[in-house]
Amino acid sequence: MRKKIVAGNWKMNKNVTDAQQLMIQLLRYKNNNATNCEVWIAPPALYLTMAKDVFDKGQVGVFSQDMSAYESGAYTGEISADMLQSIDAKGSLIGHSERRQYHNETDAQCNVKVKLALDKGLIPVYCNGETLEQRKAGQHFDVVKTQTETALFTLTADEIKKVVIAYEPVWAIGTGETATPEQAQEIHAHIRNIIAAKYGQDVADEISILYGGSVKPDNAKEIFSQPDIDGGLIGGAALKLEDFSKIIEGFNA
Ligand code: PEP
């Protein structure tokens, strides 16, 4: 059965004191509550080693928000897959829409990063999704298909099984506007069908596909109840334990 996951993307938020406080709250929560899903966080890169120290028994998976497409060398400001591997990080977000929007990241680059992450034993959380203009123009199915194929279809079946996909419609990120559970489900099923057409249904059925875009305590349960939605990538609501824990509990019966 594929993994159920709730992952928090902290983006560029919190100073070191506040970051540590939230990690400790989350650790206590995890220690005191049985959860029906894996819990992952992607704090700013500066706090990754702290996160590894706090979650020293792997209670929460630690991810970077991005990683370099290059192995090592003169790439100022970047962090490498090797560095992430050396702190025993679980993986990295790749191709988040904010990386695409503000850093012109492309699916071809995501393809290189995904492969590099896998080569280093890291889980790539590959993010895709259409813009508002693309949805209004009825292009969302095609956009997501092209993104998925370009970034992932050079992988072998064994490799793609290790990838987690996060479908995040750009118009729903940080806007308070959420795709309806039905809108999200139809794209998730579409992504799974695209993968099944190339790699077979068994492979497609093993891949966790998360939904991201203004998931909140009051809509998480309904979104997570859709058959092809295996969890969420959570931005704003991951910054407070009260909200994040309620989203995690969206997987409770
Ligand atoms: C995100 O950044 O991945 C995200 C989904 O953000 P938010 O939940 O704030 O929309």
Side-chain angles (χ1 to χ4, degrees):
M1 219 180 63
R2 54 183 180 258
K3 272 192 289 224
K4 304 292 181 195
I5 302 156
V6 171
N9 173 14
W10 291 12
K11 310 192 186 192
M12 197 173 71
N13 289 295
K14 298 199 179 284
N15 64 26
V16 66
T17 312
D18 295 342
Q20 187 178 39
Q21 193 181 21
L22 180 55
M23 286 177 199
I24 290 168
Q25 287 175 346
L26 185 56
L27 178 68
R28 282 203 200 109
Y29 173 79
K30 276 289 294 173
N31 285 342
N32 293 325
N33 296 274
T35 54
N36 290 329
C37 59
E38 292 200 16
V39 179
W40 297 351
I41 58 164
L46 190 62
Y47 310 144
L48 286 170
T49 51
M50 182 169 78
K52 283 300 302 176
D53 287 344
V54 172
F55 304 112
D56 61 345
K57 295 189 178 61
Q59 301 93 330
V60 167
V62 175
F63 284 69
S64 62
Q65 296 174 10
D66 181 39
M67 53 163 255
S68 178
Y70 301 99
E71 293 235 15
S72 68
Y75 300 101
T76 302
E78 299 257 58
I79 58 169
S80 71
D82 264 333
M83 292 173 192
L84 293 171
Q85 187 191 45
S86 72
I87 64 157
D88 198 24
K90 203 170 177 84
S92 179
L93 307 186
I94 289 176
H96 189 277
S97 67
E98 287 148 19
R99 301 291 317 167
R100 296 171 188 262
Q101 187 179 351
Y102 303 121
H103 303 274
N104 302 317
E105 214 162 282
T106 63
D107 277 306
Q109 287 167 322
C110 291
N111 173 251
V112 175
K113 292 184 181 193
V114 165
K115 179 80 176 96
L116 190 53
L118 290 168
D119 288 347
K120 302 293 177 182
L122 301 165
I123 299 175
V125 179
Y126 168 65
C127 308
N128 63 11
E130 79 285 356
T131 62
L132 185 58
E133 294 67 39
Q134 289 165 334
R135 178 156 283 258
K136 280 187 176 157
Q139 297 165 345
H140 40 297
F141 289 104
D142 287 343
V143 167
V144 170
K145 181 170 192 278
T146 304
Q147 290 173 329
T148 304
E149 290 177 348
T150 310
L152 303 182
F153 277 17
T154 56
L155 302 176
T156 65
D158 279 344
E159 286 172 336
I160 201 168
K161 279 196 251 181
K162 296 179 188 143
V163 174
V164 170
I165 297 173
Y167 167 63
E168 301 204 299
V170 180
W171 48 272
I173 296 181
T175 58
E177 197 161 327
T178 320
T180 63
E182 295 73 27
Q183 281 175 322
Q185 164 59 26
E186 70 176 356
I187 298 281
H188 282 232
H190 173 61
I191 293 172
R192 208 177 298 286
N193 287 340
I194 295 164
I195 295 171
K198 180 165 168 76
Y199 293 96
Q201 194 65 48
D202 288 356
V203 171
D205 283 343
E206 279 193 45
I207 298 176
S208 298
I209 307 178
L210 314 183
Y211 168 78
S214 298
V215 178
K216 304 281 182 237
D218 61 358
N219 60 20
K221 194 170 184 153
E222 207 188 343
I223 291 171
F224 297 165
S225 69
Q226 300 296 315
D228 286 289
I229 300 183
D230 305 304
L233 180 55
I234 319 298
L239 296 173
K240 273 205 250 149
L241 181 71
E242 196 190 337
D243 292 340
F244 195 51
S245 58
K246 286 190 185 128
I247 291 171
I248 293 167
E249 286 156 18
F251 274 114
N252 291 355

